[in-house]
Amino acid sequence: MNGPQPLTVTGLTVRFAGLTALDGVGFTVAPGTVHALIGPNGAGKSTCFNVLSGVYRATSGSVRLGGRELTRETPHAIASLGVARTFQNLALSAHSTVADTLLLGRHRLTRSGILASGLRLPRAAREAGRHTERMREIAAFLGLEPYLDAPAGLLPYGVQKLVELGRALCMEPDVLLLDEPIAGMNPTERQHTAALIASVRDSLGLSVLLVEHDMGVVMRLADTVTVLDFGRKIAEGTPGEVQNDPEVVRAYLGEHQETETPR
Amino acid sequence: MSERLTSRLGWLLGGVVLLAMPFYLERFWLQAGVFAMAAAIGAIGLNLLTGSAGQLSLAHAFFLAVGAYGYCVFAGDSGSATGLTGWGLPPVLAAVLAVALAGAVGGLFSPIAGRVRGPYLGIATLALIFIGQHVLLNAHDLTGGFNGRAVPPLSVFGFAFDDSATVVAGVPFRSMEKLWYLGLALLAAGALFARGVLRGRPGRAINAIRDHQTAAGVIGIPVARTRGAIFVLSSMYAGLAGVLLALAFQHAVPGYFGIVLSLEYLAMIVIGGLGTVSGAVIGAAFVTLIPQVLTKYSESLPLVSAPGTGGVAPGEASRYLYGAAVVAAVLFLPGGLARLPVPRWARKGARDKAPAPTSRNMEVST
Amino acid sequence: SGKADDSDGGSGGEGGDGVATDIGVTDDTITLGALTDMTGPYATLGASVTQAQQLWVKQTNEAGGICDRRIELEVRDHAYDAEQAVSAYTELTPRVLAFPQFIGSPYVVAVKDRVDGQDHVLITPQAWSASLLGSEYIHMVGPTYDIETVNAVSYLAEEYGLSEGDSIGHVFFEGDYGENALEGSRYAAGELGLTVEEQRIRPTDEDMTAQVTALAREGVSAIVVSAGPRQAASVAGVAAASGLEVPIIGNNSAFAPQILETDAAPALLASYHVASPGLPIGADEGAVPDLAEAYTAEYPDALLDNGVVAGYNSISLVGRAIETACEAGDLTRQGVADAMATLTAEDDGFGAVHDFSDPANPSTLASYILRPDESAPGGLVVEREAAASDLAQSFPRE
Amino acid sequence: MTAAVLRVRGLCVDYGPVRALTGVDVEVPDGAVTAVLGANGAGKSTLLRAVSGTLRFHGGAVTEGSVALGEDRLHGVAPARIVAAGVVQVPEGRQVFARMTVADNLRAGALGARGGRAAVRAALKRVHELFPVLAERAHQRAGLLSGGEQQMLAMGRALMAGPRLLLLDEPSLGLSPLMTTRIARTVREINAQGTSVLLVEQNAALALKLASTACVLENGRVALAGDADELAASDEVRRRYLGVADEDAATETGAAVAAGTARPALSRWSA
Amino acid sequence: MTAFLEYLVHGLSLGAVYALIALGFVIIFKSTEVVNFAHASLLLAGGYIAVRAQESVGFWAALLAGVAGAATLGALLEWAVIRRYRGADHSVLAIVTIGIDIVLLTELARRIGPDILTYDDPWGDALVTVGSVTVPQTRVAAFVTAALLIGLFLAAFRWTSWGVAMRAAAENRETAALMGIRLGRVSSSAWAVAGALAAVAALFLSVFPTSGLDRATGEVALAAFPAAIIGGLDSTTGALVGGLTVGVTEALTTGYAAELDFLGNGFGHIAPYVVMVLVLLARPAGLFGTRELSRV
Ligand SMILES: Nc1ncnc2c1ncn2[C@@H]1O[C@H](COP(=O)(O)OP(=O)(O)OP(=O)(O)O)[C@@H](O)[C@H]1O
Ligand SMILES: Nc1ncnc2c1ncn2[C@@H]1O[C@H](COP(=O)(O)OP(=O)(O)OP(=O)(O)O)[C@@H](O)[C@H]1O
Ligand SMILES: [Mg+2]
Ligand SMILES: [Mg+2]
């Protein structure tokens, strides 16, 4: 852990049978900033996340974190470099408690294996104690304390989204990849969550790569925005620049956002 | 009285009763008890794999065989009196090596166990049973073929677990009395170990892999390695169970380690309750003891008739019973027998979490 | 504790009549044990043997018992499961004088050390594998599979003029029945200058087409079947259908009357033989007709098959050992085992004469050759009287 | 007021010991769009499950109250019969059949269709017009579609049945602004063609624009109900669900968080 | 060479019977995601009912009765057990079918006892000779029947609403219900079909060259496990290919047992499993099975 490093994506291409999901995409996430990745449905945003986190293999191109090439690494190796992510569709165990789910995030930071846990070595107990404490800190920060003993799968959608965020934070990441973190929340909850994201960026100094369709939140949070369409980068810049880019308006935002007149 | 105190007392009482058994029970019951303890150890291992990691395995009988025969070979006479291979190692070392061997063989199968999931793995492991039977019948030098080979008695620092009588408090202690204590000790150790694993970091990791394989990788869990490790651990439990069973049998026969045995272990963990240590123990006791009890008391049970008199034979009755128990446990007691409303202290599983797995091992999505 | 004074159960000492006793004998009863398979793969055999033995017990008690004591037979069904077989043995051993029935040779082998070392209990198993030889307490009634197969091959050679250079096929079960029989056919073939084409099968293999085709390809002039009745029927049926007209001979276990009702019946009647330690249940000699009649009267719905003779024979020989022991005033287990060894020329009434004095050899080396006959009860009639072939007598035993 | 297609009266729903809905009354007037708003966990999805008869898949059950479609009772009726009666739901979280192709997903949607073959063919044409991507990807496995594409498929699949009453659970979840507008237009169109709609939506602004009547659920009870316009004008709704008045408050909170006053900011972990 | 052809033909015809059993498996798996360990007893039940019925009605009517009986039994099991399971873990259901199998098999074995039950089938031990190769008529009948039935179900799965409903129900019961699919009907129809197929297989397993139906006949159904896996558990084509593969492998390894002796005596018995493991190593979902998807 020698401070956040830039995440650089260059010429990233991903092909599935007969379909190019990403086509030579490149951008850089500067340390300590929020970088938004937007674009129409099916533009390749989640695919990009999947490559960054090692779930998909890139057909060509490179992803570098500082000096480290990530495209050949396994998911858990990438996680161990300090890259954490949330999932567009929830990936929580239905019956695990929230506490266990959050502790899962600390897997990469802890050591006790089968032998140590099975034999309950003092080392394992000490480790568990320290990490549970930090887990509670993070839960308190997110307002998840009341839910710690509840099974994650039965919670309301919005809370589950927060649990996912908490699990990613528990990994103590340098780079946080958030795939639609506030989808399914109402405006109040959205603002609350957006504030939390801004807060961790500031207090932990980590880099955030954010996929989100709520333009209000993107505008407020993002330092830089990259826009994808059909796997290709069509625009990049500050939120203000991007929002007025005619190409972006055509492909993504729609000509006039207020097409519907109130009745 | 506080609940904690009640619970302590309950455990104490149960422990004392178990420890006193060899002074009162005849060999038949002790032997049944040792079988049940061995089965419980094996079932705990299978429950780690199937209940917690969500991997169906039909190969458990195979790993039991590896443990049992491994022990025979390692501890067997090195002389050629029997015409069988034996390394003549000290029995304790042989037992440890046999468990390790089961783990190693499990490790060899890990590439498949890691690649193949769900029902495919279940049936793929069936291959191990059949290949295992083939080897057991053909590798005469190691296994003694169809009629099997004798199991050298265990001895710890010159104290032999054989049929020579050591008199304790006026009671002659022969092999079963001694094995009873050995079984208790191994079962307790195995159960505590498994609970430690399940509640700790590895337990969380295997649950995560079961529910969301891809996500687990992204969270930083090495999926293949963890799954392989749990397969190895489960094989080692089976190996240990195999050693204990062999010691109780005093003779290992290949026919025992067939598909039926594997199916019985699956039945145990479902009857007892998937994913919990106590469930495995309760299920193992149920499945092992039912046929013994029914056979022994066949004359005095109303529905069961003595062999040769027509009607339902005890063997059949016990199969009806345990087949029906599997179905009933799943339909009416989703947590298995371990979740029955019994006093808290008697319910070891009350605090082991890891409830029955429910999500399918498939993720798809957006 | 209740266990303290107890040396493995039973009532040691001397009966009121001055006969020494230890386990399984009281002043008025003698308890025998039967470890059988009534619900597993050998259920057919188990049912016949058990019922025949229960019949013997009934007859014996009606005739006043043995040594002025009633006989009781405790039956335990182990379903051919190792755990249950060993448990049942453990349960009954502290209470019985002898085991006139024990099905499942692996389990007999499994308890052999306990029998020889501490239990000293007489067992007449219903399995005829040579691996059970060598114990002074375990006595097979009849020839071992290897001897039976030697007799069968010798018969084929004599009757069908097999000569040096010919080959015979041997279809056998994996496991000790088949493999022990294979040793017999290999030995006989070696002595006669024949070659053996081996086809190993499993009890679950029921279609013998591939095996018979392979044997036909090798041009065998006869086939030996050391498997179950169904496999024998399939071998005969397929061979006949595909034009392989060679004699087929099976071990005693490779026949059941039911197979004469299958499609293979004509083929079986034409070319099949069975080597058997005793007379068929349908025979008109010795004690057989009485047994057949009594058995049918007792169990009108039951099948008459060779298990009936085997079961009845074992228990009546054990009964004779007990009688002998009683006369010698020693009804202890050791006494009964010793008495068994004194039976050296025992005509069992079913066509065989047994000698139990040598633990290293089976009680007889002779086999009948039988052939299927639909009209006979039990489906078999004698083709050739009992004889021990020269090869059987020279069969080496280490 | 026109007759209601759907009438929910005094509905109580329990998930085992957990009570999710208490005495809920909701009506969907014939030919109207009714919106249901509420925070996370308010019970919106539970309401739709109760109408579709799928509570039992979640271990839940209706304990009191009634659900009626026109004159017919719906509670206690098998889900398939409810679909046959014309009530079709687009469930929360897409729930496409991941291993089936897009085309087969649409065929599955038509299984409960009321019309004949011709109607199904027409419906398919219509769906392909609305969501061209579904025609392009007809032979791709649905599980490999992107999130938004799956949402379109879920919507298209429901339309295949030619519903009389459409239940939508957060149809705009994960859709781009452009696509959200298109969904809104679609809802309006099918509504114009005579399908009534019960719409659960986090995007309250959109929902209130589409709906003629609306209600707000809070902790399993109906807190507010009435005309959509009226609700849209109410302070309560504006503040809590439209986020309008809250804009400033949110920036304040954000600043407060950054300054570490209002709530404890997270500090870096040092091992 | 003739011998080889003969083994091959024999293997194919035996494989056709395996394919019928495997097809039943596959249909149950496709529609309910359950690995049905009770298939062996379903098969035995079908055969038993048919043979018993034959005593009073003729062969064809009895066969029909067996098929209907096994179908009813299958549907009944689905209704009484499978449908009532509330969890979502399909491996638990697989274990439940083990329980069902134990009960059914015990009951059937008790009823059948030591008997060998035979069919009065129209084929007897007649043979068909083509060139240098002879095959029993029964096996030709089995092959034709299997090919027809498998073709039929392939089409049904692909083209009928029944097939779509079945796949949808297997994947997500709740959503399938939301599509108006009658879950109960769909899955019990699958179990019924599997039962019917098993009864047909039972017939071909107990006529010439086999000597009849007995309590152990069901164990042959075990051969269908590797068959179903080799083909891919959710593929009807796979069932056919897998069945034939197992049949041919068995026939060839048995026929050339002498030449394969170095692999241990009786290698033929495990050869299908060895093939299965090799196939799984190369294709974890079998030759025609649907690969598991993984997207997040
Ligand atoms: N494993 C895969 N196999 C085949 N096609 C895929 C796969 N993963 C993604 N795709 C396709 O690649 C395209 C990009 O998908 P992706 O999930 O990256 O979109 P997205 O930008 O995240 O969209 P959304 O905003 O709707 O989530 C889509 O058309 C999708 O169908
Ligand atoms: N299967 C279940 N078991 C127990 N409680 C449940 C279950 N499903 C939902 N609940 C509870 O019922 C309440 C209502 O949930 P519901 O899903 O209906 O909310 P919602 O309004 O749809 O929320 P969201 O906006 O997050 O989708 C919540 O408190 C939730 O925790
Ligand atoms: Mg996406
Ligand atoms: Mg909801």
Side-chain angles (χ1 to χ4, degrees), chain A residues 16 41-47 56 88 213, chain D residues 137 140 144-149, chain E residues 295:
Chain A
F16 302 109
N41 297 116
K45 306 177 296 292
S46 300
T47 302
Y56 285 174
Q88 184 174 358
H213 288 300
Chain D
R137 300 289 169 77
Q140 179 166 347
L144 299 177
L145 294 176
S146 84
E149 291 162 347
Chain E
R295 260 214 74 167

PDB file of all heavy atoms in Angstrom, chain A residues 16 41-47 56 88 213, chain D residues 137 140 144-149, chain E residues 295, ligand 1:
ATOM      1  N   PHE A  16     -17.198 -10.901 -27.904  1.00  0.00           N
ATOM      2  CA  PHE A  16     -17.884 -12.170 -27.681  1.00  0.00           C
ATOM      3  C   PHE A  16     -18.294 -12.663 -29.054  1.00  0.00           C
ATOM      4  O   PHE A  16     -18.296 -11.888 -30.001  1.00  0.00           O
ATOM      5  CB  PHE A  16     -19.122 -11.974 -26.802  1.00  0.00           C
ATOM      6  CG  PHE A  16     -18.802 -11.378 -25.472  1.00  0.00           C
ATOM      7  CD1 PHE A  16     -19.168 -10.077 -25.164  1.00  0.00           C
ATOM      8  CD2 PHE A  16     -18.117 -12.107 -24.531  1.00  0.00           C
ATOM      9  CE1 PHE A  16     -18.863  -9.523 -23.944  1.00  0.00           C
ATOM     10  CE2 PHE A  16     -17.803 -11.555 -23.297  1.00  0.00           C
ATOM     11  CZ  PHE A  16     -18.182 -10.258 -22.997  1.00  0.00           C
ATOM     12  N   ASN A  41     -27.658   1.563 -22.512  1.00  0.00           N
ATOM     13  CA  ASN A  41     -27.658   0.175 -22.078  1.00  0.00           C
ATOM     14  C   ASN A  41     -26.969  -0.692 -23.115  1.00  0.00           C
ATOM     15  O   ASN A  41     -27.202  -0.553 -24.310  1.00  0.00           O
ATOM     16  CB  ASN A  41     -29.092  -0.320 -21.876  1.00  0.00           C
ATOM     17  CG  ASN A  41     -29.781   0.448 -20.771  1.00  0.00           C
ATOM     18  OD1 ASN A  41     -30.750   1.155 -21.001  1.00  0.00           O
ATOM     19  ND2 ASN A  41     -29.238   0.349 -19.586  1.00  0.00           N
ATOM     20  N   GLY A  42     -26.107  -1.559 -22.640  1.00  0.00           N
ATOM     21  CA  GLY A  42     -25.393  -2.435 -23.560  1.00  0.00           C
ATOM     22  C   GLY A  42     -24.194  -1.774 -24.194  1.00  0.00           C
ATOM     23  O   GLY A  42     -23.608  -2.311 -25.131  1.00  0.00           O
ATOM     24  N   ALA A  43     -23.784  -0.613 -23.668  1.00  0.00           N
ATOM     25  CA  ALA A  43     -22.651   0.085 -24.273  1.00  0.00           C
ATOM     26  C   ALA A  43     -21.327  -0.593 -23.931  1.00  0.00           C
ATOM     27  O   ALA A  43     -20.339  -0.420 -24.636  1.00  0.00           O
ATOM     28  CB  ALA A  43     -22.629   1.534 -23.796  1.00  0.00           C
ATOM     29  N   GLY A  44     -21.308  -1.369 -22.845  1.00  0.00           N
ATOM     30  CA  GLY A  44     -20.075  -2.051 -22.488  1.00  0.00           C
ATOM     31  C   GLY A  44     -19.496  -1.625 -21.158  1.00  0.00           C
ATOM     32  O   GLY A  44     -18.365  -1.970 -20.831  1.00  0.00           O
ATOM     33  N   LYS A  45     -20.285  -0.929 -20.360  1.00  0.00           N
ATOM     34  CA  LYS A  45     -19.767  -0.425 -19.083  1.00  0.00           C
ATOM     35  C   LYS A  45     -19.468  -1.577 -18.117  1.00  0.00           C
ATOM     36  O   LYS A  45     -18.374  -1.674 -17.558  1.00  0.00           O
ATOM     37  CB  LYS A  45     -20.797   0.528 -18.456  1.00  0.00           C
ATOM     38  CG  LYS A  45     -21.216   1.663 -19.386  1.00  0.00           C
ATOM     39  CD  LYS A  45     -22.274   2.546 -18.775  1.00  0.00           C
ATOM     40  CE  LYS A  45     -23.601   1.841 -18.504  1.00  0.00           C
ATOM     41  NZ  LYS A  45     -24.337   1.443 -19.687  1.00  0.00           N
ATOM     42  N   SER A  46     -20.463  -2.461 -17.951  1.00  0.00           N
ATOM     43  CA  SER A  46     -20.224  -3.576 -17.022  1.00  0.00           C
ATOM     44  C   SER A  46     -19.147  -4.499 -17.565  1.00  0.00           C
ATOM     45  O   SER A  46     -18.361  -5.081 -16.812  1.00  0.00           O
ATOM     46  CB  SER A  46     -21.511  -4.383 -16.804  1.00  0.00           C
ATOM     47  OG  SER A  46     -22.504  -3.551 -16.263  1.00  0.00           O
ATOM     48  N   THR A  47     -19.087  -4.625 -18.888  1.00  0.00           N
ATOM     49  CA  THR A  47     -18.036  -5.447 -19.482  1.00  0.00           C
ATOM     50  C   THR A  47     -16.674  -4.879 -19.115  1.00  0.00           C
ATOM     51  O   THR A  47     -15.746  -5.621 -18.761  1.00  0.00           O
ATOM     52  CB  THR A  47     -18.204  -5.479 -21.008  1.00  0.00           C
ATOM     53  OG1 THR A  47     -19.501  -5.981 -21.296  1.00  0.00           O
ATOM     54  CG2 THR A  47     -17.156  -6.358 -21.646  1.00  0.00           C
ATOM     55  N   TYR A  56     -13.642 -11.083 -16.905  1.00  0.00           N
ATOM     56  CA  TYR A  56     -13.519 -11.350 -18.344  1.00  0.00           C
ATOM     57  C   TYR A  56     -12.069 -11.149 -18.777  1.00  0.00           C
ATOM     58  O   TYR A  56     -11.358 -10.312 -18.224  1.00  0.00           O
ATOM     59  CB  TYR A  56     -14.371 -10.363 -19.164  1.00  0.00           C
ATOM     60  CG  TYR A  56     -15.858 -10.618 -19.151  1.00  0.00           C
ATOM     61  CD1 TYR A  56     -16.719  -9.707 -19.754  1.00  0.00           C
ATOM     62  CD2 TYR A  56     -16.406 -11.747 -18.562  1.00  0.00           C
ATOM     63  CE1 TYR A  56     -18.093  -9.904 -19.759  1.00  0.00           C
ATOM     64  CE2 TYR A  56     -17.772 -11.957 -18.562  1.00  0.00           C
ATOM     65  CZ  TYR A  56     -18.619 -11.033 -19.164  1.00  0.00           C
ATOM     66  OH  TYR A  56     -19.954 -11.235 -19.163  1.00  0.00           O
ATOM     67  N   GLN A  88     -23.700  -4.840 -10.390  1.00  0.00           N
ATOM     68  CA  GLN A  88     -24.925  -4.210 -10.870  1.00  0.00           C
ATOM     69  C   GLN A  88     -26.136  -4.994 -10.362  1.00  0.00           C
ATOM     70  O   GLN A  88     -27.090  -4.429  -9.861  1.00  0.00           O
ATOM     71  CB  GLN A  88     -24.925  -4.184 -12.398  1.00  0.00           C
ATOM     72  CG  GLN A  88     -26.128  -3.463 -12.964  1.00  0.00           C
ATOM     73  CD  GLN A  88     -26.031  -3.337 -14.479  1.00  0.00           C
ATOM     74  OE1 GLN A  88     -25.062  -3.758 -15.089  1.00  0.00           O
ATOM     75  NE2 GLN A  88     -27.044  -2.748 -15.077  1.00  0.00           N
ATOM     76  N   HIS A 213     -26.692   5.639 -14.117  1.00  0.00           N
ATOM     77  CA  HIS A 213     -27.572   6.277 -15.100  1.00  0.00           C
ATOM     78  C   HIS A 213     -28.233   7.536 -14.554  1.00  0.00           C
ATOM     79  O   HIS A 213     -28.859   8.270 -15.301  1.00  0.00           O
ATOM     80  CB  HIS A 213     -28.658   5.293 -15.546  1.00  0.00           C
ATOM     81  CG  HIS A 213     -28.138   4.195 -16.422  1.00  0.00           C
ATOM     82  ND1 HIS A 213     -27.527   4.436 -17.627  1.00  0.00           N
ATOM     83  CD2 HIS A 213     -28.125   2.843 -16.276  1.00  0.00           C
ATOM     84  CE1 HIS A 213     -27.166   3.281 -18.184  1.00  0.00           C
ATOM     85  NE2 HIS A 213     -27.517   2.295 -17.370  1.00  0.00           N
TER      86      HIS A 213
ATOM     87  N   ARG D 137     -30.761  -9.599 -30.960  1.00  0.00           N
ATOM     88  CA  ARG D 137     -30.162 -10.607 -30.083  1.00  0.00           C
ATOM     89  C   ARG D 137     -31.053 -11.820 -29.885  1.00  0.00           C
ATOM     90  O   ARG D 137     -30.904 -12.538 -28.904  1.00  0.00           O
ATOM     91  CB  ARG D 137     -29.875  -9.989 -28.702  1.00  0.00           C
ATOM     92  CG  ARG D 137     -28.945  -8.842 -28.734  1.00  0.00           C
ATOM     93  CD  ARG D 137     -27.521  -9.321 -29.043  1.00  0.00           C
ATOM     94  NE  ARG D 137     -26.678  -8.190 -29.333  1.00  0.00           N
ATOM     95  CZ  ARG D 137     -26.198  -7.387 -28.404  1.00  0.00           C
ATOM     96  NH1 ARG D 137     -26.438  -7.631 -27.152  1.00  0.00           N
ATOM     97  NH2 ARG D 137     -25.462  -6.356 -28.735  1.00  0.00           N
ATOM     98  N   GLN D 140     -29.313 -14.884 -28.689  1.00  0.00           N
ATOM     99  CA  GLN D 140     -28.354 -14.815 -27.590  1.00  0.00           C
ATOM    100  C   GLN D 140     -29.030 -15.286 -26.308  1.00  0.00           C
ATOM    101  O   GLN D 140     -30.231 -15.113 -26.118  1.00  0.00           O
ATOM    102  CB  GLN D 140     -27.878 -13.375 -27.417  1.00  0.00           C
ATOM    103  CG  GLN D 140     -26.884 -13.217 -26.271  1.00  0.00           C
ATOM    104  CD  GLN D 140     -26.157 -11.878 -26.329  1.00  0.00           C
ATOM    105  OE1 GLN D 140     -26.207 -11.164 -27.323  1.00  0.00           O
ATOM    106  NE2 GLN D 140     -25.485 -11.540 -25.252  1.00  0.00           N
ATOM    107  N   LEU D 144     -26.752 -13.275 -20.821  1.00  0.00           N
ATOM    108  CA  LEU D 144     -25.562 -12.550 -21.248  1.00  0.00           C
ATOM    109  C   LEU D 144     -25.877 -11.131 -21.707  1.00  0.00           C
ATOM    110  O   LEU D 144     -24.985 -10.373 -22.046  1.00  0.00           O
ATOM    111  CB  LEU D 144     -24.857 -13.324 -22.366  1.00  0.00           C
ATOM    112  CG  LEU D 144     -24.386 -14.727 -21.963  1.00  0.00           C
ATOM    113  CD1 LEU D 144     -23.764 -15.438 -23.137  1.00  0.00           C
ATOM    114  CD2 LEU D 144     -23.408 -14.657 -20.810  1.00  0.00           C
ATOM    115  N   LEU D 145     -27.140 -10.775 -21.690  1.00  0.00           N
ATOM    116  CA  LEU D 145     -27.489  -9.406 -22.056  1.00  0.00           C
ATOM    117  C   LEU D 145     -27.017  -8.445 -20.972  1.00  0.00           C
ATOM    118  O   LEU D 145     -26.841  -8.827 -19.822  1.00  0.00           O
ATOM    119  CB  LEU D 145     -29.005  -9.272 -22.184  1.00  0.00           C
ATOM    120  CG  LEU D 145     -29.686 -10.030 -23.312  1.00  0.00           C
ATOM    121  CD1 LEU D 145     -31.191  -9.840 -23.210  1.00  0.00           C
ATOM    122  CD2 LEU D 145     -29.184  -9.553 -24.662  1.00  0.00           C
ATOM    123  N   SER D 146     -26.867  -7.194 -21.331  1.00  0.00           N
ATOM    124  CA  SER D 146     -26.518  -6.200 -20.318  1.00  0.00           C
ATOM    125  C   SER D 146     -27.751  -5.962 -19.448  1.00  0.00           C
ATOM    126  O   SER D 146     -28.863  -6.387 -19.781  1.00  0.00           O
ATOM    127  CB  SER D 146     -26.093  -4.905 -20.976  1.00  0.00           C
ATOM    128  OG  SER D 146     -27.220  -4.127 -21.292  1.00  0.00           O
ATOM    129  N   GLY D 147     -27.518  -5.279 -18.335  1.00  0.00           N
ATOM    130  CA  GLY D 147     -28.608  -5.051 -17.389  1.00  0.00           C
ATOM    131  C   GLY D 147     -29.810  -4.395 -18.036  1.00  0.00           C
ATOM    132  O   GLY D 147     -30.950  -4.847 -17.886  1.00  0.00           O
ATOM    133  N   GLY D 148     -29.546  -3.341 -18.767  1.00  0.00           N
ATOM    134  CA  GLY D 148     -30.645  -2.609 -19.384  1.00  0.00           C
ATOM    135  C   GLY D 148     -31.354  -3.457 -20.429  1.00  0.00           C
ATOM    136  O   GLY D 148     -32.581  -3.443 -20.533  1.00  0.00           O
ATOM    137  N   GLU D 149     -30.574  -4.206 -21.192  1.00  0.00           N
ATOM    138  CA  GLU D 149     -31.181  -5.069 -22.208  1.00  0.00           C
ATOM    139  C   GLU D 149     -32.086  -6.100 -21.551  1.00  0.00           C
ATOM    140  O   GLU D 149     -33.161  -6.426 -22.059  1.00  0.00           O
ATOM    141  CB  GLU D 149     -30.089  -5.759 -23.028  1.00  0.00           C
ATOM    142  CG  GLU D 149     -29.321  -4.808 -23.926  1.00  0.00           C
ATOM    143  CD  GLU D 149     -27.969  -5.361 -24.407  1.00  0.00           C
ATOM    144  OE1 GLU D 149     -27.508  -6.377 -23.865  1.00  0.00           O
ATOM    145  OE2 GLU D 149     -27.381  -4.754 -25.317  1.00  0.00           O
TER     146      GLU D 149
ATOM    147  N   ARG E 295     -21.876 -14.268 -15.476  1.00  0.00           N
ATOM    148  CA  ARG E 295     -21.774 -12.844 -15.693  1.00  0.00           C
ATOM    149  C   ARG E 295     -22.026 -12.197 -14.374  1.00  0.00           C
ATOM    150  O   ARG E 295     -22.822 -12.692 -13.596  1.00  0.00           O
ATOM    151  CB  ARG E 295     -22.910 -12.385 -16.612  1.00  0.00           C
ATOM    152  CG  ARG E 295     -22.564 -12.192 -18.049  1.00  0.00           C
ATOM    153  CD  ARG E 295     -23.367 -11.042 -18.619  1.00  0.00           C
ATOM    154  NE  ARG E 295     -22.851  -9.781 -18.138  1.00  0.00           N
ATOM    155  CZ  ARG E 295     -23.195  -8.617 -18.669  1.00  0.00           C
ATOM    156  NH1 ARG E 295     -24.071  -8.553 -19.643  1.00  0.00           N
ATOM    157  NH2 ARG E 295     -22.694  -7.503 -18.188  1.00  0.00           N
TER     158      ARG E 295
HETATM  159  N1  LIG F   1     -20.459 -12.977 -21.568  1.00  0.00           N
HETATM  160  C1  LIG F   1     -21.061 -12.363 -22.606  1.00  0.00           C
HETATM  161  N2  LIG F   1     -21.340 -13.050 -23.723  1.00  0.00           N
HETATM  162  C2  LIG F   1     -21.953 -12.469 -24.766  1.00  0.00           C
HETATM  163  N3  LIG F   1     -22.317 -11.186 -24.801  1.00  0.00           N
HETATM  164  C3  LIG F   1     -22.059 -10.432 -23.712  1.00  0.00           C
HETATM  165  C4  LIG F   1     -21.445 -10.990 -22.563  1.00  0.00           C
HETATM  166  N4  LIG F   1     -21.329 -10.025 -21.626  1.00  0.00           N
HETATM  167  C5  LIG F   1     -21.866  -8.907 -22.175  1.00  0.00           C
HETATM  168  N5  LIG F   1     -22.305  -9.146 -23.429  1.00  0.00           N
HETATM  169  C6  LIG F   1     -22.907  -8.174 -24.335  1.00  0.00           C
HETATM  170  O1  LIG F   1     -22.029  -7.082 -24.384  1.00  0.00           O
HETATM  171  C7  LIG F   1     -22.761  -5.865 -24.435  1.00  0.00           C
HETATM  172  C8  LIG F   1     -22.262  -4.947 -23.348  1.00  0.00           C
HETATM  173  O2  LIG F   1     -22.756  -5.384 -22.116  1.00  0.00           O
HETATM  174  P1  LIG F   1     -22.524  -4.626 -20.745  1.00  0.00           P
HETATM  175  O3  LIG F   1     -23.098  -5.464 -19.691  1.00  0.00           O
HETATM  176  O4  LIG F   1     -21.109  -4.257 -20.637  1.00  0.00           O
HETATM  177  O5  LIG F   1     -23.414  -3.336 -20.928  1.00  0.00           O
HETATM  178  P2  LIG F   1     -23.598  -2.116 -19.950  1.00  0.00           P
HETATM  179  O6  LIG F   1     -22.934  -0.988 -20.579  1.00  0.00           O
HETATM  180  O7  LIG F   1     -23.194  -2.479 -18.595  1.00  0.00           O
HETATM  181  O8  LIG F   1     -25.174  -1.912 -20.030  1.00  0.00           O
HETATM  182  P3  LIG F   1     -26.235  -1.630 -18.877  1.00  0.00           P
HETATM  183  O9  LIG F   1     -26.218  -0.206 -18.590  1.00  0.00           O
HETATM  184  O10 LIG F   1     -27.528  -2.035 -19.509  1.00  0.00           O
HETATM  185  O11 LIG F   1     -25.868  -2.487 -17.733  1.00  0.00           O
HETATM  186  C9  LIG F   1     -24.211  -6.214 -24.302  1.00  0.00           C
HETATM  187  O12 LIG F   1     -24.806  -6.134 -25.563  1.00  0.00           O
HETATM  188  C10 LIG F   1     -24.216  -7.640 -23.820  1.00  0.00           C
HETATM  189  O13 LIG F   1     -25.295  -8.348 -24.364  1.00  0.00           O
END
